[in-house]
Amino acid sequence: MSQVQQDLGTTFNFAQYVMTVNKERSDKTAFIDDDGFITYGGLAEKIAQFGTSLLKSGIKREERVLLLMHDCNDWPVTFLGSMYSGIVPVAVNTLLTAQDYAYMLAHSRAQVAVISSALIPVLIESINIAEQEHGHEILEVIVSHPTIESRRMFLDAKPDIEWIEMEDFLNEAGTIVPPAKTHPDDPGFWLYSSGSTGRPKGALHTHANPYWTAELYGKAVLNLQESDICFSAAKMFFAYGLGNALSFPLTVGASVVLMAERATPTACFKRFTELKPTVFFGAPTGYGGMLASPELPSKDQVSLRMCSSAGEALPQDLGDRWTRHFGCQIIDGLGSTEMLHIFISNSPNDVRYGTSGKPVRGYEVELRGEDGQLVPIGEIGDLFVKGPSSAVMYWNNRTKSRETFQGAWTKSGDKYVSDQDGYYTYSGRNDDMIKVSGIYVSPFEVEGTLVQHPAVLETAVIGVADEAGLVKTKAFVVLKPGHQTTIEELQLFVKDKLAPYKYPRMIEFVNELPKTATGKIQRFKLREQEQSKK
């Protein structure tokens, strides 16, 4: 019997669990979006209605529903309503192309798409591609916040597919069916990886997985409380955002601020000052942009008691400056889509900026060398993690599943180094590591040094072969508005702080860096760009 079975028994439905733990909070606000709020009682009612209506529309248990929506109150209704009935929501990034969505529709075999009306044009295109190139058709489209224009556009383009507005779909439920008697290890939902190195991979997570991340991280590390108001810049389609804005707050009865628009500094500051969140979840790029903004509010204008960071390692300088300004710490950690949330983290009483912290209780980590053996303390190794929130597999991708999910261990794809005190420091992704003169150089270490320069907003470092074919480090640097510096000054700045061989031999000033929709720097695009010059 697995540990999950010992703790949760043989029947566990995550949606039902959320509804049960908040039964006495029916009048409390659960979510606040751009148009209004929904209470815990209203949320529970709509979850049951949505799940019931899915079953009555002919969708069967464990079939998939594509969730292509901006963050709003209908998002948790759709996600948890699907899980309520044993149907599997597939939450996807709202910033992808029609080709991406066509692949995801066909790959997941989704029968229904739930969509924000603003995304109708790209959905129409993706449905056409899915039909023509993949031979996959969907039966129904459920629309959140529909407009007359979006309805007319869809019905003109796809008259053979049923269109229904969210409120009408909920009202069709009639007699509510009981929640599905799912097992803790039953398929709960899918999340797709970024697909930065090929087709996106569909990570299959169970009903128990969000419970474990909430217990082991949301409660045990962050100590979220019922009195908190949570606000996540990371959207809910992202594993990090799903924990921040759904599983963590809903398991303690906290309230959540949802924002449909992009998390610009201006948009975040508006929520900081008007809705007064107490806990903010962001990423290093976002924190850097906010600190550089002339609109940065004062400490007295906000109610932040704690912040969180993930997605990429948080540079020490950013953490120090944020804490000095707002008087609250940023709890930086490492997580992944495959592990659902953070498994190495700093903690509120133990923050060491520049590191990812220590393993979260309930998880084990190992650093292994190229020979598969554990590396000594102080040496860079491949990070492996073992814990109860690991995905089961990548759907229909046995090769990648075997590479990543190795028995009880998951290969993260990250390079890390540990110190004598048990702290783990990020050294880059496996594909990002640079070997200079036979010695590994972590691009993140060089980047973390460069951003300490007062003129540097953000930077990315890659390895580039010189005329002799030898690999050297090259930095792409974005300067802060109104600031100037020189290549020579930046090189001397790095030499003064790091071992001489690590300084960037080449520096190029750029207006912006290529990034994923979740704000991660895409160093592989910079490498491709350099390769195309040859």
Side-chain angles (χ1 to χ4, degrees):
M1 181 179 291
S2 72
Q3 185 63 44
V4 169
Q5 288 173 306
Q6 290 177 25
D7 286 9
L8 298 182
T10 56
T11 301
F12 180 80
N13 182 304
F14 183 71
Q16 181 185 18
Y17 170 74
V18 165
M19 296 163 72
T20 301
V21 297
N22 293 297
K23 190 171 293 185
E24 304 303 318
R25 301 186 182 99
S26 61
D27 294 330
K28 185 183 177 185
T29 297
F31 290 96
I32 311 161
D33 70 4
D34 299 334
D35 296 312
F37 69 93
I38 185 170
T39 64
Y40 272 103
L43 178 65
E45 181 181 8
K46 288 188 174 185
I47 287 171
Q49 287 178 319
F50 189 87
T52 298
S53 291
L54 275 181
L55 292 172
K56 290 187 176 179
S57 68
I59 308 304
K60 297 179 176 61
R61 183 164 164 169
E62 295 187 12
E63 289 186 328
R64 271 74 68 187
V65 170
L66 192 82
L67 201 167
L68 176 58
M69 300 171 69
H70 294 132
D71 283 12
C72 65
N73 292 342
D74 285 341
W75 205 105
V77 168
T78 300
F79 187 83
L80 294 170
S82 300
M83 294 181 75
Y84 175 93
S85 56
I87 292 166
V88 179
V90 179
V92 299
N93 189 329
T94 58
L95 299 173
L96 301 179
T97 68
Q99 284 283 356
D100 292 320
Y101 298 134
Y103 171 77
M104 292 170 178
L105 281 168
H107 183 246
S108 67
R109 303 178 195 139
Q111 302 294 299
V112 173
V114 188
I115 185 166
S116 296
S117 60
L119 298 168
I120 285 294
V122 72
L123 178 68
I124 292 171
E125 186 180 354
S126 65
I127 290 174
N128 288 336
I129 296 171
E131 291 173 347
Q132 295 165 9
E133 297 185 7
H134 303 287
H136 177 77
E137 299 180 357
I138 66 172
L139 304 175
E140 188 172 33
V141 171
I142 303 165
V143 187
S144 173
H145 298 92
T147 63
I148 294 173
E149 293 78 12
S150 64
R151 176 183 174 85
R152 183 183 299 117
M153 181 188 301
F154 188 84
L155 293 180
D156 286 348
K158 308 301 297 181
D160 53 326
I161 297 177
E162 184 178 357
W163 158 292
I164 186 166
E165 298 180 9
M166 176 66 79
E167 287 304 314
D168 292 337
F169 187 74
L170 296 174
N171 291 334
E172 286 185 351
T175 303
I176 299 298
V177 301
K181 292 183 178 180
T182 49
H183 187 280
D185 292 338
D186 272 349
F189 57 94
W190 291 14
L191 296 174
Y192 274 96
S193 66
S194 63
S196 58
T197 57
R199 287 288 196 185
K201 300 182 290 292
L204 191 163
H205 282 283
T206 69
H207 273 262
N209 286 4
Y211 167 86
W212 285 117
T213 59
E215 288 294 308
L216 299 177
Y217 193 71
K219 293 179 182 179
V221 175
L222 298 182
N223 192 29
L224 292 182
Q225 302 293 317
E226 181 180 2
S227 57
D228 278 318
I229 300 174
C230 298
F231 173 40
S232 176
K235 302 302 183 183
M236 287 195 285
F237 64 74
F238 184 35
Y240 179 49
L242 183 65
N244 306 339
L246 192 144
S247 53
F248 293 179
L250 293 194
T251 52
V252 298
S255 299
V256 183
V257 173
L258 296 178
M259 178 175 72
E261 64 184 298
R262 194 166 59 88
T264 62
T266 299
C268 290
F269 296 157
K270 177 180 173 64
R271 275 74 183 180
F272 283 3
T273 57
E274 294 182 4
L275 297 176
K276 303 290 186 180
T278 59
V279 182
F280 174 68
F281 301 85
T285 300
Y287 285 113
M290 285 189 277
L291 285 170
S293 170
E295 301 174 18
L296 184 70
S298 67
K299 176 182 177 181
D300 295 337
Q301 292 177 284
V302 306
S303 299
L304 296 173
R305 72 169 183 85
M306 181 174 64
C307 295
S308 166
S309 181
E312 286 195 309
L314 179 76
Q316 180 177 352
D317 179 63
L318 277 182
D320 287 336
R321 287 193 287 132
W322 186 271
T323 299
R324 283 197 300 270
H325 184 84
F326 285 114
C328 65
Q329 297 173 318
I330 300 177
I331 310 303
D332 186 32
L334 171 73
S336 68
T337 301
E338 290 77 9
M339 295 304 295
L340 188 55
H341 214 274
I342 290 172
F343 52 85
I344 296 178
S345 183
N346 286 270
S347 62
N349 298 317
D350 185 14
V351 171
R352 186 175 293 190
Y353 286 139
T355 79
S356 296
K358 299 177 179 179
V360 172
R361 183 184 63 82
Y363 294 88
E364 296 178 45
V365 300
E366 290 184 354
L367 299 182
R368 303 178 188 174
E370 294 178 359
D371 58 1
Q373 300 302 306
L374 299 182
V375 301
I377 289 174
E379 290 191 14
I380 294 173
D382 291 316
L383 179 68
F384 285 75
V385 55
K386 179 167 65 173
S389 62
S390 172
V392 176
M393 63 176 176
Y394 297 128
W395 182 260
N396 277 0
N397 196 332
R398 191 173 187 181
T399 299
K400 287 292 184 182
S401 292
R402 283 181 164 181
E403 289 176 6
T404 300
F405 306 108
Q406 301 181 14
W409 293 90
T410 298
K411 184 177 182 180
S412 73
D414 297 297
K415 294 280 191 182
Y416 261 80
V417 61
S418 64
D419 63 22
Q420 294 287 352
D421 297 325
Y423 294 89
Y424 285 73
T425 300
Y426 182 67
S427 295
R429 295 288 295 174
N430 285 352
D431 293 341
D432 293 333
M433 292 299 292
I434 307 165
K435 214 166 193 179
V436 179
S437 301
I439 305 172
Y440 273 122
V441 174
S442 164
F444 183 75
E445 183 181 19
V446 182
E447 292 164 5
T449 302
L450 279 168
V451 296
Q452 295 177 41
H453 190 281
V456 176
L457 176 62
E458 58 184 1
T459 180
V461 173
I462 63 170
V464 176
D466 64 12
E467 295 81 359
L470 301 175
V471 175
K472 306 295 184 185
T473 50
K474 178 174 181 176
F476 296 82
V477 174
V478 179
L479 296 177
K480 293 177 182 175
H483 288 70
Q484 296 294 325
T485 186
T486 65
I487 292 174
E488 292 75 16
E489 181 181 336
L490 291 180
Q491 288 175 326
L492 288 172
F493 184 81
V494 175
K495 282 183 180 179
D496 187 53
K497 296 178 179 295
L498 297 179
Y501 70 89
K502 295 182 180 180
Y503 86 92
R505 302 306 200 275
M506 296 164 273
I507 294 179
E508 181 178 336
F509 295 108
V510 295
N511 293 324
E512 61 181 358
L513 298 172
K515 295 173 185 172
T516 67
T518 52
K520 293 182 181 180
I521 294 172
Q522 295 173 308
R523 294 174 187 83
F524 78 95
K525 287 192 174 181
L526 296 173
R527 289 194 291 268
E528 290 173 353
Q529 173 185 307
E530 290 299 303
Q531 191 64 33
S532 68
K533 294 178 181 178
K534 299 180 179 180

